[in-house]
Amino acid sequence: MPTFCANLTMLFTEYPLIERFGAAKDAGFDVVEILFPYDNPAQEMRSALIKHDLKMALINTPPPNWAGGDRGYAAIPNGEKRFQYDFKRTLRYAQLLKPTHIHIMAGRAKGAVARATFIENLKWAAMQAPKQSLTIEPINPTDIPGYFLHDFDQAAEILDAVDAPNVNLQFDAYHAHMITGDLPATWSRHGHRAVHIQIAGAPGRHEPDIGDIDCAGFFKQIDADGYKGFVSGEYHPKGRTVDGLEWVKL
């Protein structure tokens, strides 16, 4: 059985962010993640982690402005200085929150120059934080049109080019289904690179057990393959979060 994680950006939104830590613990989670923690004091979140005996699985970088903003800078030509600035900011948060992983977002870009920029920025980040696990994640073009990293084969090729032991794959089952239409086969091809999993139902991005994804079968598949990382629920609940947690019992 996987170790499940609650994405506090999307789950328990009935509460202010700082109260979601306790709500997640009360619901049975020992691990949480936050997409963009930068609008809240890091020390306040660290205190909430300690108070509720929680571990932080992952935070994203960059940027802090998710609503209406760009989806990262790592693949944006001539955006290296902004990427480096934001990455250093994330490392300051990581010193207190101690996330297992930092997800580096590529941003909207295309072409050979964007690919070269992404690879060089990933190499730079890996050297800046050699003991920190860093991840990249393919995102489907329906949810974020124009996002540079939009394919799992593309991600594998980039990881090989970066060739850094602390840069690996973040495998989102929802995006895998949306991109390929075949989650089990995509995992079979690329799951050996995965250090973190996120899951949601597809279509709709609601509870993982709603929709076309066989999440019980997927959990059995990753267990059989010996996956030891976290599986984070990153979805929009159809109602109150606690009323839709049957998926963690599958």
Side-chain angles (χ1 to χ4, degrees):
M1 177 66 69
T3 300
F4 293 114
C5 168
N7 184 299
L8 297 187
T9 300
M10 294 187 177
L11 305 188
F12 303 103
T13 55
E14 307 93 315
Y15 308 99
L17 178 61
I18 205 65
E19 295 180 17
R20 297 175 200 172
F21 291 84
K25 186 68 175 184
D26 290 344
F29 292 98
D30 294 320
V31 188
V32 297
E33 66 179 21
I34 299 176
L35 297 182
F36 300 106
Y38 309 101
D39 290 338
N40 294 78
Q43 185 60 59
E44 183 180 37
M45 290 182 286
R46 173 180 168 83
S47 296
L49 289 168
I50 294 171
K51 176 181 178 180
H52 299 291
D53 191 24
L54 291 166
K55 180 178 180 62
M56 183 68 76
L58 176 141
I59 60 176
N60 284 357
T61 182
N65 180 21
W66 177 255
D70 291 326
R71 271 49 172 174
Y73 297 94
I76 308 300
N78 302 316
E80 293 87 347
K81 289 184 178 179
R82 178 63 189 270
F83 169 75
Q84 292 177 10
Y85 174 86
D86 281 344
F87 185 76
K88 290 176 181 178
R89 184 184 186 195
T90 300
L91 290 182
R92 292 194 293 272
Y93 267 74
Q95 287 178 351
L96 289 177
L97 302 181
K98 302 187 184 306
T100 302
H101 311 292
I102 292 174
H103 169 211
I104 296 179
M105 299 196 75
R108 289 186 171 101
K110 63 180 179 179
V113 176
R115 175 189 176 277
T117 301
F118 193 36
I119 290 170
E120 289 308 308
N121 278 334
L122 290 170
K123 288 181 176 180
W124 177 87
M127 290 188 292
Q128 291 295 308
K131 295 183 180 180
Q132 172 67 57
S133 171
L134 308 174
T135 65
I136 61 172
E137 174 193 25
I139 295 178
N140 79 81
T142 299
D143 282 29
I144 304 184
Y147 191 75
F148 174 76
L149 190 62
H150 58 272
D151 180 81
F152 282 84
D153 290 339
Q154 175 197 22
E157 186 271 333
I158 287 171
L159 288 172
D160 286 343
V162 173
D163 192 26
N166 60 325
V167 183
N168 291 287
L169 179 66
Q170 181 171 319
F171 189 99
D172 189 302
Y174 165 78
H175 289 305
H177 178 83
M178 293 291 288
I179 292 167
T180 71
D182 192 338
L183 171 59
T186 307
W187 174 264
S188 294
R189 182 174 175 83
H190 297 288
H192 65 283
R193 297 178 182 269
V195 295
H196 187 65
I197 292 174
Q198 293 168 326
I199 192 166
R205 204 168 189 177
H206 297 303
E207 282 78 356
D209 54 350
I210 296 176
D212 297 335
I213 291 177
D214 176 10
C215 64
F218 180 60
F219 296 157
K220 291 178 181 177
Q221 182 179 13
I222 64 175
D223 277 346
D225 288 344
Y227 174 76
K228 301 299 183 184
F230 304 125
V231 175
S232 179
E234 188 196 32
Y235 60 90
H236 302 290
K238 298 199 75 171
R240 295 174 68 246
T241 302
V242 294
D243 294 334
L245 293 177
E246 290 300 313
W247 62 273
V248 303
K249 304 173 185 177
L250 296 174

PDB file of all heavy atoms in Angstrom, residues 1-2 4 173 183-184 187 197 199-201 207-225 231 246-250:
ATOM      1  N   MET A   1       0.844  -1.205   0.000  1.00  0.00           N
ATOM      2  CA  MET A   1       0.000   0.000   0.000  1.00  0.00           C
ATOM      3  C   MET A   1       0.873   1.245   0.000  1.00  0.00           C
ATOM      4  O   MET A   1       1.798   1.350   0.813  1.00  0.00           O
ATOM      5  CB  MET A   1      -0.902  -0.014   1.243  1.00  0.00           C
ATOM      6  CG  MET A   1      -1.782   1.212   1.389  1.00  0.00           C
ATOM      7  SD  MET A   1      -3.028   1.349   0.082  1.00  0.00           S
ATOM      8  CE  MET A   1      -4.100  -0.027   0.500  1.00  0.00           C
ATOM      9  N   PRO A   2       0.602   2.183  -0.891  1.00  0.00           N
ATOM     10  CA  PRO A   2       1.421   3.409  -0.945  1.00  0.00           C
ATOM     11  C   PRO A   2       1.267   4.249   0.324  1.00  0.00           C
ATOM     12  O   PRO A   2       0.305   4.108   1.081  1.00  0.00           O
ATOM     13  CB  PRO A   2       0.846   4.152  -2.155  1.00  0.00           C
ATOM     14  CG  PRO A   2       0.056   3.146  -2.921  1.00  0.00           C
ATOM     15  CD  PRO A   2      -0.423   2.148  -1.922  1.00  0.00           C
ATOM     16  N   PHE A   4       0.230   7.677   1.399  1.00  0.00           N
ATOM     17  CA  PHE A   4      -0.542   8.727   0.768  1.00  0.00           C
ATOM     18  C   PHE A   4      -0.225  10.096   1.361  1.00  0.00           C
ATOM     19  O   PHE A   4       0.134  10.220   2.542  1.00  0.00           O
ATOM     20  CB  PHE A   4      -2.034   8.433   0.877  1.00  0.00           C
ATOM     21  CG  PHE A   4      -2.465   7.241   0.088  1.00  0.00           C
ATOM     22  CD1 PHE A   4      -2.935   6.098   0.731  1.00  0.00           C
ATOM     23  CD2 PHE A   4      -2.384   7.242  -1.295  1.00  0.00           C
ATOM     24  CE1 PHE A   4      -3.328   4.983  -0.001  1.00  0.00           C
ATOM     25  CE2 PHE A   4      -2.772   6.128  -2.030  1.00  0.00           C
ATOM     26  CZ  PHE A   4      -3.248   5.001  -1.389  1.00  0.00           C
ATOM     27  N   ALA A 173      -0.353  10.864 -12.368  1.00  0.00           N
ATOM     28  CA  ALA A 173      -1.200   9.881 -13.043  1.00  0.00           C
ATOM     29  C   ALA A 173      -2.292  10.555 -13.865  1.00  0.00           C
ATOM     30  O   ALA A 173      -2.661  10.068 -14.954  1.00  0.00           O
ATOM     31  CB  ALA A 173      -1.818   8.941 -12.013  1.00  0.00           C
ATOM     32  N   LEU A 183      -2.535   4.980 -18.752  1.00  0.00           N
ATOM     33  CA  LEU A 183      -1.734   5.156 -17.537  1.00  0.00           C
ATOM     34  C   LEU A 183      -0.873   3.935 -17.223  1.00  0.00           C
ATOM     35  O   LEU A 183       0.334   4.093 -16.954  1.00  0.00           O
ATOM     36  CB  LEU A 183      -2.649   5.487 -16.352  1.00  0.00           C
ATOM     37  CG  LEU A 183      -2.009   5.500 -14.964  1.00  0.00           C
ATOM     38  CD1 LEU A 183      -0.882   6.507 -14.887  1.00  0.00           C
ATOM     39  CD2 LEU A 183      -3.082   5.784 -13.906  1.00  0.00           C
ATOM     40  N   PRO A 184      -1.404   2.705 -17.251  1.00  0.00           N
ATOM     41  CA  PRO A 184      -0.554   1.554 -16.917  1.00  0.00           C
ATOM     42  C   PRO A 184       0.664   1.429 -17.824  1.00  0.00           C
ATOM     43  O   PRO A 184       1.776   1.143 -17.354  1.00  0.00           O
ATOM     44  CB  PRO A 184      -1.503   0.359 -17.066  1.00  0.00           C
ATOM     45  CG  PRO A 184      -2.869   0.926 -16.843  1.00  0.00           C
ATOM     46  CD  PRO A 184      -2.812   2.295 -17.455  1.00  0.00           C
ATOM     47  N   TRP A 187       3.243   4.162 -17.051  1.00  0.00           N
ATOM     48  CA  TRP A 187       4.013   3.820 -15.851  1.00  0.00           C
ATOM     49  C   TRP A 187       5.022   2.714 -16.162  1.00  0.00           C
ATOM     50  O   TRP A 187       6.178   2.788 -15.727  1.00  0.00           O
ATOM     51  CB  TRP A 187       3.101   3.389 -14.708  1.00  0.00           C
ATOM     52  CG  TRP A 187       3.894   2.899 -13.534  1.00  0.00           C
ATOM     53  CD1 TRP A 187       4.216   1.610 -13.226  1.00  0.00           C
ATOM     54  CD2 TRP A 187       4.529   3.720 -12.548  1.00  0.00           C
ATOM     55  NE1 TRP A 187       4.993   1.559 -12.102  1.00  0.00           N
ATOM     56  CE2 TRP A 187       5.207   2.837 -11.653  1.00  0.00           C
ATOM     57  CE3 TRP A 187       4.574   5.085 -12.310  1.00  0.00           C
ATOM     58  CZ2 TRP A 187       5.918   3.309 -10.556  1.00  0.00           C
ATOM     59  CZ3 TRP A 187       5.294   5.554 -11.218  1.00  0.00           C
ATOM     60  CH2 TRP A 187       5.959   4.667 -10.351  1.00  0.00           C
ATOM     61  N   ILE A 197       4.727  10.637  -6.899  1.00  0.00           N
ATOM     62  CA  ILE A 197       3.525  10.424  -7.689  1.00  0.00           C
ATOM     63  C   ILE A 197       2.425  11.354  -7.189  1.00  0.00           C
ATOM     64  O   ILE A 197       2.258  11.541  -5.983  1.00  0.00           O
ATOM     65  CB  ILE A 197       3.046   8.958  -7.600  1.00  0.00           C
ATOM     66  CG1 ILE A 197       4.033   8.025  -8.296  1.00  0.00           C
ATOM     67  CG2 ILE A 197       1.654   8.791  -8.209  1.00  0.00           C
ATOM     68  CD1 ILE A 197       3.703   6.540  -8.126  1.00  0.00           C
ATOM     69  N   ILE A 199      -1.919  12.085  -8.045  1.00  0.00           N
ATOM     70  CA  ILE A 199      -3.032  11.393  -8.684  1.00  0.00           C
ATOM     71  C   ILE A 199      -4.315  12.197  -8.534  1.00  0.00           C
ATOM     72  O   ILE A 199      -4.513  12.905  -7.544  1.00  0.00           O
ATOM     73  CB  ILE A 199      -3.210   9.974  -8.112  1.00  0.00           C
ATOM     74  CG1 ILE A 199      -4.168   9.150  -8.967  1.00  0.00           C
ATOM     75  CG2 ILE A 199      -3.638  10.006  -6.645  1.00  0.00           C
ATOM     76  CD1 ILE A 199      -4.140   7.665  -8.684  1.00  0.00           C
ATOM     77  N   ALA A 200      -5.150  12.090  -9.551  1.00  0.00           N
ATOM     78  CA  ALA A 200      -6.490  12.673  -9.552  1.00  0.00           C
ATOM     79  C   ALA A 200      -7.324  11.896 -10.553  1.00  0.00           C
ATOM     80  O   ALA A 200      -6.792  11.179 -11.407  1.00  0.00           O
ATOM     81  CB  ALA A 200      -6.444  14.153  -9.950  1.00  0.00           C
ATOM     82  N   GLY A 201      -8.633  12.027 -10.457  1.00  0.00           N
ATOM     83  CA  GLY A 201      -9.506  11.378 -11.413  1.00  0.00           C
ATOM     84  C   GLY A 201      -9.486  12.112 -12.741  1.00  0.00           C
ATOM     85  O   GLY A 201      -9.276  13.320 -12.807  1.00  0.00           O
ATOM     86  N   GLU A 207     -11.796  13.505  -7.299  1.00  0.00           N
ATOM     87  CA  GLU A 207     -11.271  12.388  -6.528  1.00  0.00           C
ATOM     88  C   GLU A 207     -10.716  11.308  -7.451  1.00  0.00           C
ATOM     89  O   GLU A 207     -11.295  11.032  -8.519  1.00  0.00           O
ATOM     90  CB  GLU A 207     -12.356  11.815  -5.625  1.00  0.00           C
ATOM     91  CG  GLU A 207     -12.631  12.624  -4.374  1.00  0.00           C
ATOM     92  CD  GLU A 207     -13.480  13.865  -4.554  1.00  0.00           C
ATOM     93  OE1 GLU A 207     -13.829  14.175  -5.718  1.00  0.00           O
ATOM     94  OE2 GLU A 207     -13.798  14.535  -3.570  1.00  0.00           O
ATOM     95  N   PRO A 208      -9.605  10.663  -7.061  1.00  0.00           N
ATOM     96  CA  PRO A 208      -8.963   9.662  -7.935  1.00  0.00           C
ATOM     97  C   PRO A 208      -9.847   8.490  -8.317  1.00  0.00           C
ATOM     98  O   PRO A 208      -9.611   7.864  -9.357  1.00  0.00           O
ATOM     99  CB  PRO A 208      -7.758   9.201  -7.100  1.00  0.00           C
ATOM    100  CG  PRO A 208      -7.442  10.369  -6.224  1.00  0.00           C
ATOM    101  CD  PRO A 208      -8.779  10.971  -5.879  1.00  0.00           C
ATOM    102  N   ASP A 209     -10.853   8.164  -7.500  1.00  0.00           N
ATOM    103  CA  ASP A 209     -11.724   7.037  -7.807  1.00  0.00           C
ATOM    104  C   ASP A 209     -12.960   7.452  -8.600  1.00  0.00           C
ATOM    105  O   ASP A 209     -13.884   6.671  -8.766  1.00  0.00           O
ATOM    106  CB  ASP A 209     -12.119   6.305  -6.531  1.00  0.00           C
ATOM    107  CG  ASP A 209     -12.747   7.209  -5.478  1.00  0.00           C
ATOM    108  OD1 ASP A 209     -12.706   8.453  -5.644  1.00  0.00           O
ATOM    109  OD2 ASP A 209     -13.271   6.692  -4.482  1.00  0.00           O
ATOM    110  N   ILE A 210     -12.963   8.683  -9.111  1.00  0.00           N
ATOM    111  CA  ILE A 210     -14.046   9.159  -9.970  1.00  0.00           C
ATOM    112  C   ILE A 210     -13.487   9.353 -11.376  1.00  0.00           C
ATOM    113  O   ILE A 210     -12.538  10.116 -11.574  1.00  0.00           O
ATOM    114  CB  ILE A 210     -14.628  10.494  -9.462  1.00  0.00           C
ATOM    115  CG1 ILE A 210     -15.270  10.306  -8.081  1.00  0.00           C
ATOM    116  CG2 ILE A 210     -15.655  11.040 -10.450  1.00  0.00           C
ATOM    117  CD1 ILE A 210     -15.778  11.600  -7.472  1.00  0.00           C
ATOM    118  N   GLY A 211     -14.054   8.647 -12.353  1.00  0.00           N
ATOM    119  CA  GLY A 211     -13.596   8.844 -13.723  1.00  0.00           C
ATOM    120  C   GLY A 211     -13.010   7.589 -14.332  1.00  0.00           C
ATOM    121  O   GLY A 211     -13.296   6.462 -13.920  1.00  0.00           O
ATOM    122  N   ASP A 212     -12.146   7.788 -15.318  1.00  0.00           N
ATOM    123  CA  ASP A 212     -11.661   6.693 -16.152  1.00  0.00           C
ATOM    124  C   ASP A 212     -10.425   5.987 -15.601  1.00  0.00           C
ATOM    125  O   ASP A 212     -10.058   4.915 -16.085  1.00  0.00           O
ATOM    126  CB  ASP A 212     -11.326   7.220 -17.550  1.00  0.00           C
ATOM    127  CG  ASP A 212     -12.549   7.777 -18.270  1.00  0.00           C
ATOM    128  OD1 ASP A 212     -13.668   7.345 -17.938  1.00  0.00           O
ATOM    129  OD2 ASP A 212     -12.379   8.648 -19.153  1.00  0.00           O
ATOM    130  N   ILE A 213      -9.757   6.566 -14.625  1.00  0.00           N
ATOM    131  CA  ILE A 213      -8.540   5.960 -14.086  1.00  0.00           C
ATOM    132  C   ILE A 213      -8.886   4.863 -13.082  1.00  0.00           C
ATOM    133  O   ILE A 213      -9.677   5.081 -12.162  1.00  0.00           O
ATOM    134  CB  ILE A 213      -7.646   7.022 -13.421  1.00  0.00           C
ATOM    135  CG1 ILE A 213      -7.058   7.965 -14.485  1.00  0.00           C
ATOM    136  CG2 ILE A 213      -6.517   6.379 -12.625  1.00  0.00           C
ATOM    137  CD1 ILE A 213      -6.227   9.100 -13.922  1.00  0.00           C
ATOM    138  N   ASP A 214      -8.292   3.714 -13.253  1.00  0.00           N
ATOM    139  CA  ASP A 214      -8.419   2.614 -12.288  1.00  0.00           C
ATOM    140  C   ASP A 214      -7.345   2.807 -11.226  1.00  0.00           C
ATOM    141  O   ASP A 214      -6.262   2.246 -11.312  1.00  0.00           O
ATOM    142  CB  ASP A 214      -8.249   1.275 -13.003  1.00  0.00           C
ATOM    143  CG  ASP A 214      -8.275   0.088 -12.046  1.00  0.00           C
ATOM    144  OD1 ASP A 214      -8.618   0.273 -10.855  1.00  0.00           O
ATOM    145  OD2 ASP A 214      -7.907  -1.015 -12.479  1.00  0.00           O
ATOM    146  N   CYS A 215      -7.671   3.632 -10.214  1.00  0.00           N
ATOM    147  CA  CYS A 215      -6.619   3.962  -9.252  1.00  0.00           C
ATOM    148  C   CYS A 215      -6.261   2.768  -8.370  1.00  0.00           C
ATOM    149  O   CYS A 215      -5.102   2.606  -7.991  1.00  0.00           O
ATOM    150  CB  CYS A 215      -6.983   5.182  -8.413  1.00  0.00           C
ATOM    151  SG  CYS A 215      -8.410   5.019  -7.346  1.00  0.00           S
ATOM    152  N   ALA A 216      -7.223   1.885  -8.079  1.00  0.00           N
ATOM    153  CA  ALA A 216      -6.897   0.690  -7.304  1.00  0.00           C
ATOM    154  C   ALA A 216      -5.912  -0.183  -8.076  1.00  0.00           C
ATOM    155  O   ALA A 216      -4.936  -0.701  -7.518  1.00  0.00           O
ATOM    156  CB  ALA A 216      -8.160  -0.091  -6.976  1.00  0.00           C
ATOM    157  N   GLY A 217      -6.145  -0.332  -9.363  1.00  0.00           N
ATOM    158  CA  GLY A 217      -5.221  -1.098 -10.195  1.00  0.00           C
ATOM    159  C   GLY A 217      -3.860  -0.432 -10.296  1.00  0.00           C
ATOM    160  O   GLY A 217      -2.817  -1.111 -10.303  1.00  0.00           O
ATOM    161  N   PHE A 218      -3.852   0.901 -10.366  1.00  0.00           N
ATOM    162  CA  PHE A 218      -2.590   1.633 -10.435  1.00  0.00           C
ATOM    163  C   PHE A 218      -1.806   1.459  -9.144  1.00  0.00           C
ATOM    164  O   PHE A 218      -0.585   1.255  -9.166  1.00  0.00           O
ATOM    165  CB  PHE A 218      -2.859   3.108 -10.716  1.00  0.00           C
ATOM    166  CG  PHE A 218      -1.619   3.952 -10.803  1.00  0.00           C
ATOM    167  CD1 PHE A 218      -0.636   3.687 -11.751  1.00  0.00           C
ATOM    168  CD2 PHE A 218      -1.425   5.012  -9.933  1.00  0.00           C
ATOM    169  CE1 PHE A 218       0.510   4.471 -11.833  1.00  0.00           C
ATOM    170  CE2 PHE A 218      -0.293   5.800 -10.007  1.00  0.00           C
ATOM    171  CZ  PHE A 218       0.683   5.533 -10.958  1.00  0.00           C
ATOM    172  N   PHE A 219      -2.480   1.515  -8.012  1.00  0.00           N
ATOM    173  CA  PHE A 219      -1.787   1.324  -6.734  1.00  0.00           C
ATOM    174  C   PHE A 219      -1.170  -0.075  -6.657  1.00  0.00           C
ATOM    175  O   PHE A 219      -0.045  -0.245  -6.171  1.00  0.00           O
ATOM    176  CB  PHE A 219      -2.746   1.530  -5.565  1.00  0.00           C
ATOM    177  CG  PHE A 219      -3.295   2.922  -5.452  1.00  0.00           C
ATOM    178  CD1 PHE A 219      -4.488   3.168  -4.780  1.00  0.00           C
ATOM    179  CD2 PHE A 219      -2.630   4.006  -6.012  1.00  0.00           C
ATOM    180  CE1 PHE A 219      -4.997   4.448  -4.659  1.00  0.00           C
ATOM    181  CE2 PHE A 219      -3.130   5.299  -5.905  1.00  0.00           C
ATOM    182  CZ  PHE A 219      -4.332   5.515  -5.225  1.00  0.00           C
ATOM    183  N   LYS A 220      -1.883  -1.079  -7.146  1.00  0.00           N
ATOM    184  CA  LYS A 220      -1.334  -2.438  -7.162  1.00  0.00           C
ATOM    185  C   LYS A 220      -0.121  -2.513  -8.085  1.00  0.00           C
ATOM    186  O   LYS A 220       0.868  -3.197  -7.781  1.00  0.00           O
ATOM    187  CB  LYS A 220      -2.409  -3.428  -7.609  1.00  0.00           C
ATOM    188  CG  LYS A 220      -3.535  -3.624  -6.604  1.00  0.00           C
ATOM    189  CD  LYS A 220      -4.591  -4.581  -7.133  1.00  0.00           C
ATOM    190  CE  LYS A 220      -5.724  -4.751  -6.126  1.00  0.00           C
ATOM    191  NZ  LYS A 220      -6.803  -5.633  -6.650  1.00  0.00           N
ATOM    192  N   GLN A 221      -0.192  -1.807  -9.204  1.00  0.00           N
ATOM    193  CA  GLN A 221       0.911  -1.825 -10.166  1.00  0.00           C
ATOM    194  C   GLN A 221       2.168  -1.216  -9.565  1.00  0.00           C
ATOM    195  O   GLN A 221       3.264  -1.787  -9.671  1.00  0.00           O
ATOM    196  CB  GLN A 221       0.516  -1.078 -11.440  1.00  0.00           C
ATOM    197  CG  GLN A 221       1.596  -1.099 -12.521  1.00  0.00           C
ATOM    198  CD  GLN A 221       1.168  -0.361 -13.782  1.00  0.00           C
ATOM    199  OE1 GLN A 221       0.179   0.373 -13.792  1.00  0.00           O
ATOM    200  NE2 GLN A 221       1.904  -0.561 -14.871  1.00  0.00           N
ATOM    201  N   ILE A 222       2.041  -0.055  -8.918  1.00  0.00           N
ATOM    202  CA  ILE A 222       3.238   0.588  -8.361  1.00  0.00           C
ATOM    203  C   ILE A 222       3.772  -0.188  -7.166  1.00  0.00           C
ATOM    204  O   ILE A 222       4.986  -0.231  -6.937  1.00  0.00           O
ATOM    205  CB  ILE A 222       2.989   2.065  -8.013  1.00  0.00           C
ATOM    206  CG1 ILE A 222       1.947   2.225  -6.907  1.00  0.00           C
ATOM    207  CG2 ILE A 222       2.583   2.839  -9.262  1.00  0.00           C
ATOM    208  CD1 ILE A 222       1.757   3.665  -6.457  1.00  0.00           C
ATOM    209  N   ASP A 223       2.872  -0.828  -6.406  1.00  0.00           N
ATOM    210  CA  ASP A 223       3.334  -1.692  -5.311  1.00  0.00           C
ATOM    211  C   ASP A 223       4.130  -2.866  -5.866  1.00  0.00           C
ATOM    212  O   ASP A 223       5.200  -3.209  -5.343  1.00  0.00           O
ATOM    213  CB  ASP A 223       2.137  -2.213  -4.508  1.00  0.00           C
ATOM    214  CG  ASP A 223       1.634  -1.231  -3.462  1.00  0.00           C
ATOM    215  OD1 ASP A 223       2.363  -0.262  -3.161  1.00  0.00           O
ATOM    216  OD2 ASP A 223       0.523  -1.435  -2.943  1.00  0.00           O
ATOM    217  N   ALA A 224       3.615  -3.485  -6.915  1.00  0.00           N
ATOM    218  CA  ALA A 224       4.297  -4.637  -7.502  1.00  0.00           C
ATOM    219  C   ALA A 224       5.665  -4.255  -8.052  1.00  0.00           C
ATOM    220  O   ALA A 224       6.595  -5.068  -8.047  1.00  0.00           O
ATOM    221  CB  ALA A 224       3.435  -5.244  -8.610  1.00  0.00           C
ATOM    222  N   ASP A 225       5.789  -3.006  -8.501  1.00  0.00           N
ATOM    223  CA  ASP A 225       7.064  -2.536  -9.047  1.00  0.00           C
ATOM    224  C   ASP A 225       8.018  -2.021  -7.979  1.00  0.00           C
ATOM    225  O   ASP A 225       9.133  -1.593  -8.288  1.00  0.00           O
ATOM    226  CB  ASP A 225       6.811  -1.431 -10.079  1.00  0.00           C
ATOM    227  CG  ASP A 225       6.224  -1.962 -11.374  1.00  0.00           C
ATOM    228  OD1 ASP A 225       6.291  -3.191 -11.579  1.00  0.00           O
ATOM    229  OD2 ASP A 225       5.710  -1.168 -12.175  1.00  0.00           O
ATOM    230  N   VAL A 231       2.396   9.027  -2.663  1.00  0.00           N
ATOM    231  CA  VAL A 231       1.348   9.205  -3.661  1.00  0.00           C
ATOM    232  C   VAL A 231       0.439  10.308  -3.145  1.00  0.00           C
ATOM    233  O   VAL A 231      -0.270  10.141  -2.157  1.00  0.00           O
ATOM    234  CB  VAL A 231       0.539   7.914  -3.899  1.00  0.00           C
ATOM    235  CG1 VAL A 231      -0.615   8.183  -4.868  1.00  0.00           C
ATOM    236  CG2 VAL A 231       1.433   6.807  -4.430  1.00  0.00           C
ATOM    237  N   GLU A 246     -12.383   7.971   0.115  1.00  0.00           N
ATOM    238  CA  GLU A 246     -12.456   6.517   0.001  1.00  0.00           C
ATOM    239  C   GLU A 246     -11.290   5.969  -0.814  1.00  0.00           C
ATOM    240  O   GLU A 246     -10.897   4.811  -0.647  1.00  0.00           O
ATOM    241  CB  GLU A 246     -13.795   6.101  -0.634  1.00  0.00           C
ATOM    242  CG  GLU A 246     -15.004   6.328   0.257  1.00  0.00           C
ATOM    243  CD  GLU A 246     -14.913   5.536   1.560  1.00  0.00           C
ATOM    244  OE1 GLU A 246     -14.588   4.330   1.496  1.00  0.00           O
ATOM    245  OE2 GLU A 246     -15.158   6.130   2.619  1.00  0.00           O
ATOM    246  N   TRP A 247     -10.726   6.771  -1.685  1.00  0.00           N
ATOM    247  CA  TRP A 247      -9.627   6.305  -2.552  1.00  0.00           C
ATOM    248  C   TRP A 247      -8.415   5.877  -1.760  1.00  0.00           C
ATOM    249  O   TRP A 247      -7.635   5.035  -2.238  1.00  0.00           O
ATOM    250  CB  TRP A 247      -9.266   7.384  -3.565  1.00  0.00           C
ATOM    251  CG  TRP A 247      -8.771   8.665  -2.978  1.00  0.00           C
ATOM    252  CD1 TRP A 247      -9.521   9.726  -2.559  1.00  0.00           C
ATOM    253  CD2 TRP A 247      -7.401   9.035  -2.753  1.00  0.00           C
ATOM    254  NE1 TRP A 247      -8.727  10.732  -2.079  1.00  0.00           N
ATOM    255  CE2 TRP A 247      -7.420  10.328  -2.185  1.00  0.00           C
ATOM    256  CE3 TRP A 247      -6.182   8.398  -2.976  1.00  0.00           C
ATOM    257  CZ2 TRP A 247      -6.243  11.000  -1.832  1.00  0.00           C
ATOM    258  CZ3 TRP A 247      -5.022   9.066  -2.625  1.00  0.00           C
ATOM    259  CH2 TRP A 247      -5.061  10.342  -2.046  1.00  0.00           C
ATOM    260  N   VAL A 248      -8.205   6.424  -0.568  1.00  0.00           N
ATOM    261  CA  VAL A 248      -7.026   6.033   0.202  1.00  0.00           C
ATOM    262  C   VAL A 248      -7.200   4.643   0.826  1.00  0.00           C
ATOM    263  O   VAL A 248      -6.237   4.091   1.377  1.00  0.00           O
ATOM    264  CB  VAL A 248      -6.692   7.065   1.307  1.00  0.00           C
ATOM    265  CG1 VAL A 248      -6.486   8.440   0.713  1.00  0.00           C
ATOM    266  CG2 VAL A 248      -7.772   7.091   2.383  1.00  0.00           C
ATOM    267  N   LYS A 249      -8.376   4.084   0.726  1.00  0.00           N
ATOM    268  CA  LYS A 249      -8.660   2.754   1.300  1.00  0.00           C
ATOM    269  C   LYS A 249      -8.635   1.656   0.245  1.00  0.00           C
ATOM    270  O   LYS A 249      -8.853   0.488   0.576  1.00  0.00           O
ATOM    271  CB  LYS A 249     -10.007   2.769   2.004  1.00  0.00           C
ATOM    272  CG  LYS A 249     -10.133   3.825   3.080  1.00  0.00           C
ATOM    273  CD  LYS A 249     -11.565   3.896   3.636  1.00  0.00           C
ATOM    274  CE  LYS A 249     -11.717   5.032   4.627  1.00  0.00           C
ATOM    275  NZ  LYS A 249     -13.133   5.132   5.104  1.00  0.00           N
ATOM    276  N   LEU A 250      -8.413   2.021  -1.016  1.00  0.00           N
ATOM    277  CA  LEU A 250      -8.468   1.020  -2.089  1.00  0.00           C
ATOM    278  C   LEU A 250      -7.280   0.066  -2.060  1.00  0.00           C
ATOM    279  O   LEU A 250      -6.202   0.444  -1.609  1.00  0.00           O
ATOM    280  CB  LEU A 250      -8.556   1.749  -3.440  1.00  0.00           C
ATOM    281  CG  LEU A 250      -9.811   2.577  -3.659  1.00  0.00           C
ATOM    282  CD1 LEU A 250      -9.701   3.358  -4.965  1.00  0.00           C
ATOM    283  CD2 LEU A 250     -11.060   1.713  -3.672  1.00  0.00           C
TER     284      LEU A 250
END
